[in-house]
């Protein structure tokens, strides 16, 4: 008998389990594949490992403009993938040892919820049944595979791939067609463009990077086009052949030859076949319905991470898992979904938090918007020949609170947490003006922007 059974050992599950065990709860994690989930095994971490190698290669290729002559720089893609595997292995082992140290038990099986009794919830994993007083569902998400004719067959043959398979690809495709110009599509387009593939991104919308502020998305687009990535916007993929992709744009159907295809058109919560119906957990459009306290519709059952379909980011998952544990222990903790930062690890990096130029208009929020060039930062100019990065600040007119910060440029991924704190703490412009930022840094442009709005 456990105090808590956690179904799924990704960022939501492993972090929550560690927190729960530290607080004295007898905790079991049931994970069917590897600890660390999509993030560690086939998402965030392997992608960042590949992108770091691409960044070094890009530096080598472009070093001359910084007065450094480099000859013979070459990419060994198979070695990059080997290193990625070592990085993943090390981190997965790290998660396992942290859980062991905390006293969490781990079962490597697929778990199915069987039902509820007076003792709690019973979950079957392999041949065994386990009972927990409380249940935390963290089963994550999987790549969405739309019903495009030929796509299933292409995935089976290996011509088409999702984020899972492309990270293990040991060759550099001559022409990679990416279906979907969202986060995964752009990060992988960035890698394969850097290492020498011809890359074509087919995107249904008239812009890339989804809900990213449109000014930032346009700058990113320009940077990608300059690097040689081809975009087909307002274009919908209609069929995938044995070595081709067909799409419809402007009423016409065209076909492109390709030797690899990445499908990155979004993710679906993993809610099928885990026995949710046996205890009556409510789902909506395939996602578990949760509130900001991470409660589900069933008392004693909590859900965290991609499975609730809300934010689908590993860092949101960490926080949701913690919130669930804090609340099941009698606290009253909530997730503030309005101050969660988001990053696209392209080169240049994109990072954002809060309202965008578009969302304030859509919501009718009276706001001031100011974009400031990163060229105000001496460090940025020193390190970025021809860089066109910006910081964009969104402030509500009534209270002059910082409600949105968006950045494109170097270190954006590492800087954004400071902006997220401003948004979360509802800081006013005049308060941020009184803070001292280190110099010379790229982040000090955020402070400059506070004096321009
Ligand atoms: P996404 O939702 O970011 O982008 C999917 C794109 O595909 C959209 O722009 C959509 O308009 C387009 N699309 C849909 N159907 C299409 C079709 N038939 N033809 C052409 N375009 C089509 O989804 P993505 O990139 O698969 O990422 C999934 C999730 O993973 C995201 O929710 C993201 O939060 C998460 N993620 C986060 C990362 C990060 O934080 N750096 C990195 C990678 C993924």
């Amino acid at each position: 008998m456990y105090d808590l059974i956690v179904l799924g050992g990704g960022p939501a599950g492993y972090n929550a389990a560690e927190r729960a065990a530290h607080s004295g709860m007898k905790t079991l994690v049931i994970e069917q594949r590897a600890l660390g989930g999509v993030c560690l095994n086939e998402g965030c971490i392997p992608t960042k490992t590949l992108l770091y190698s691409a960044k070094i290669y890009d530096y080598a290729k472009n070093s001359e403009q910084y007065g450094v002559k480099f000859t013979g720089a070459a990419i060994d893609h198979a070695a990059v993938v080997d290193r990625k595997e070592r990085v993943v292995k090390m981190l997965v082992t790290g998660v396992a040892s942290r859980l062991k140290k905390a006293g969490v038990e781990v079962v490597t099986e697929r778990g199915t919820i069987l039902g509820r009794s007076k003792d709690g919830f019973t979950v079957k994993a392999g041949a065994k049944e386990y009972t927990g007083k409380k249940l935390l569902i963290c089963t994550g998400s999987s790549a969405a595979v739309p019903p495009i004719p030929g796509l299933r067959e292409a995935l089976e043959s290996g011509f088409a791939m999702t984020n899972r398979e492309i990270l293990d690809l040991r060759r550099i495709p001559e022409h990679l067609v990416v279906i979907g110009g969202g986060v995964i599509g752009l990060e992988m387009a960035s890698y394969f463009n850097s290492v020498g593939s011809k890359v074509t991104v087919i995107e249904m919308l008239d812009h890339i990077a989804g809900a990213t502020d449109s000014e930032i998305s346009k700058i990113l687009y320009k940077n990608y086009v300059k690097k040689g990535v081809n975009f087909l916007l307002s274009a919908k993929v209609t069929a995938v052949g044995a070595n081709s992709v067909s799409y419809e744009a402007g009423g016409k159907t065209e076909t492109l030859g390709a030797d690899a295809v990445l499908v990155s058109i979004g993710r679906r919560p993993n809610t099928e076949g885990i026995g949710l119906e046996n205890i009556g957990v409510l789902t909506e459009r395939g996602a578990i319905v949760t509130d900001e306290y991470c409660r589900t519709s069933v008392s004693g059952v909590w859900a965290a991470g991609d499975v609730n379909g809300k934010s689908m980011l590993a860092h949101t998952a960490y926080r949701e898992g913690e919130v669930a544990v804090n609340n099941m222990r009698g606290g009253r903790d909530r997730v503030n979904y309005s101050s969660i930062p988001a990053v696209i690890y392209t080169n240049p990096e994109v990072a954002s938090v809060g309202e965008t130029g578009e969302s304030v208009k859509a919501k009718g929020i009276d706001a001031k918007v100011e974009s400031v060039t990163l060229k105000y930062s001496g460090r940025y100019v020193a390190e970025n020949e021809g860089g066109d990065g910006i910081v964009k600040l969104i402030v509500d007119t009534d209270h002059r609170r910082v409600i949105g910060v968006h950045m494109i440029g170097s270190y954006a991924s590492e800087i954004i947490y400071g902006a997220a704190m401003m948004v979360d703490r509802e800081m006013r412009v005049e308060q941020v003006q009184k803070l001292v930022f280190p110099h010379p840094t790229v982040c000090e442009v955020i402070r400059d922007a506070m004096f321009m709005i």
Side-chain angles (χ1 to χ4, degrees):
M1 172 65 124
Y2 294 89
D3 294 319
L4 172 64
I5 294 180
V6 181
L7 197 53
Y14 74 70
N15 186 53
E18 192 183 11
R19 298 281 188 274
H22 279 156
S23 72
M25 296 173 85
K26 189 171 182 315
T27 306
L28 171 72
V29 172
I30 301 175
E31 165 58 55
Q32 62 180 347
R33 296 165 76 98
L35 285 172
V38 170
C39 166
L40 224 52
N41 295 283
E42 56 199 52
C44 319
I45 302 303
T47 312
K48 261 82 270 176
T49 313
L50 263 59
L51 286 171
Y52 187 66
S53 294
K55 197 187 254 181
I56 295 174
Y57 187 42
D58 283 342
Y59 281 151
K61 284 187 290 182
N62 302 315
S63 62
E64 221 165 306
Q65 49 189 332
Y66 298 94
V68 181
K69 285 205 176 146
F70 224 107
T71 45
I75 192 98
D76 180 348
H77 177 66
V80 173
V81 176
D82 285 344
R83 175 169 182 269
K84 180 265 300 183
E85 271 161 26
R86 288 198 303 277
V87 168
V88 169
K89 200 170 163 203
M90 188 178 128
L91 292 168
V92 170
T93 312
V95 171
S97 69
R98 274 174 68 165
L99 290 184
K100 196 171 169 203
K101 202 167 159 208
V104 175
E105 283 177 51
V106 178
V107 168
T108 310
E109 294 281 359
R110 184 174 168 81
T112 313
I113 305 162
L114 292 183
R116 178 177 206 162
S117 67
K118 62 173 181 20
D119 295 328
F121 303 92
T122 304
V123 181
K124 188 171 190 308
K128 283 191 169 175
E129 288 182 14
Y130 303 88
T131 303
K133 289 182 200 152
K134 293 194 167 58
L135 186 58
L136 176 61
I137 304 169
C138 309
T139 46
S141 66
S142 307
V145 178
I148 296 171
L151 182 56
R152 288 235 164 250
E153 294 80 347
L155 283 165
E156 274 161 28
S157 75
F159 170 54
M161 292 163 280
T162 67
N163 59 294
R164 177 176 290 173
E165 300 82 33
I166 198 160
L167 290 163
D168 287 330
L169 190 67
R170 287 189 171 267
R171 65 185 171 95
I172 299 174
E174 229 163 87
H175 184 197
L176 172 69
V177 171
V178 175
I179 309 178
V183 199
I184 295 179
L186 290 172
E187 290 186 353
M188 294 320 294
S190 184
Y191 177 78
F192 283 101
N193 166 257
S194 291
V195 301
S197 295
K198 174 182 172 191
V199 179
T200 304
V201 179
I202 307 181
E203 167 58 53
M204 207 161 66
L205 303 175
D206 63 359
H207 61 273
I208 58 166
T212 304
D213 183 276
S214 69
E215 195 179 348
I216 303 270
S217 145
K218 279 182 195 142
I219 297 173
L220 183 65
Y221 178 83
K222 257 179 40 199
N223 274 273
Y224 264 57
V225 169
K226 212 164 123 192
K227 285 171 194 257
V229 175
N230 307 307
F231 286 99
L232 298 163
L233 301 181
S234 307
K236 208 174 161 204
V237 172
T238 50
V240 178
N243 50 12
S244 66
V245 177
S246 302
Y247 65 94
E248 204 185 278
K252 278 204 266 175
T253 301
E254 310 271 359
T255 299
L256 284 174
D259 58 352
V261 174
L262 169 67
V263 191
S264 49
I265 57 123
R267 299 185 64 84
R268 301 271 171 273
N270 294 329
T271 49
E272 293 288 322
I274 54 169
L276 293 181
E277 60 289 353
N278 297 333
I279 49 170
V281 172
L282 189 68
T283 60
E284 217 172 75
R285 276 180 273 114
I288 295 183
V289 178
T290 55
D291 59 13
E292 58 192 3
Y293 303 100
C294 299
R295 295 178 298 200
T296 69
S297 59
V298 177
S299 162
V301 182
W302 312 72
D306 285 10
V307 75
N308 65 27
K310 283 188 170 167
S311 151
M312 291 205 168
L313 295 168
H315 45 277
T316 309
Y318 286 138
R319 177 72 188 131
E320 287 173 338
E322 285 168 4
V323 165
V325 169
N326 291 342
N327 290 332
M328 62 182 76
R329 296 182 56 248
R332 195 161 173 82
D333 198 4
R334 57 177 280 275
V335 183
N336 183 3
Y337 287 100
S338 60
S339 59
I340 293 175
V343 176
I344 314 180
Y345 292 84
T346 41
N347 188 7
E349 291 179 351
V350 169
S352 51
V353 60
E355 303 294 344
T356 62
E358 290 69 44
S359 71
V360 285
K361 277 188 204 139
K363 293 177 188 173
I365 300 171
D366 190 8
K368 281 186 107 180
V369 177
E370 188 67 49
S371 298
V372 179
T373 170
L374 290 186
K375 287 182 193 142
Y376 275 55
S377 153
R379 184 176 189 193
Y380 182 80
V381 176
E383 295 183 1
N384 292 274
E385 276 297 322
D388 56 356
I390 61 162
V391 158
K392 185 165 180 173
L393 195 60
I394 314 223
V395 165
D396 82 299
T397 313
D398 287 348
H399 303 97
R400 291 188 49 79
R401 275 183 315 225
V402 180
I403 57 171
V405 179
H406 308 273
M407 266 189 96
I408 178 163
S410 42
Y411 312 116
S413 58
E414 296 288 347
I415 292 171
I416 202 67
Y417 87 94
M421 285 184 193
M422 294 170 201
V423 174
D424 191 80
R425 297 290 103 188
E426 301 183 354
M427 287 183 78
R428 284 180 296 104
V429 169
E430 286 68 24
Q431 290 174 311
V432 184
Q433 284 174 349
K434 294 195 171 89
L435 301 176
V436 178
F437 285 52
H439 173 81
T441 55
V442 176
C443 68
E444 59 190 333
V445 181
I446 295 183
R447 187 168 188 273
D448 283 336
M450 299 290 163
F451 291 89
M452 295 177 191
I453 197 157

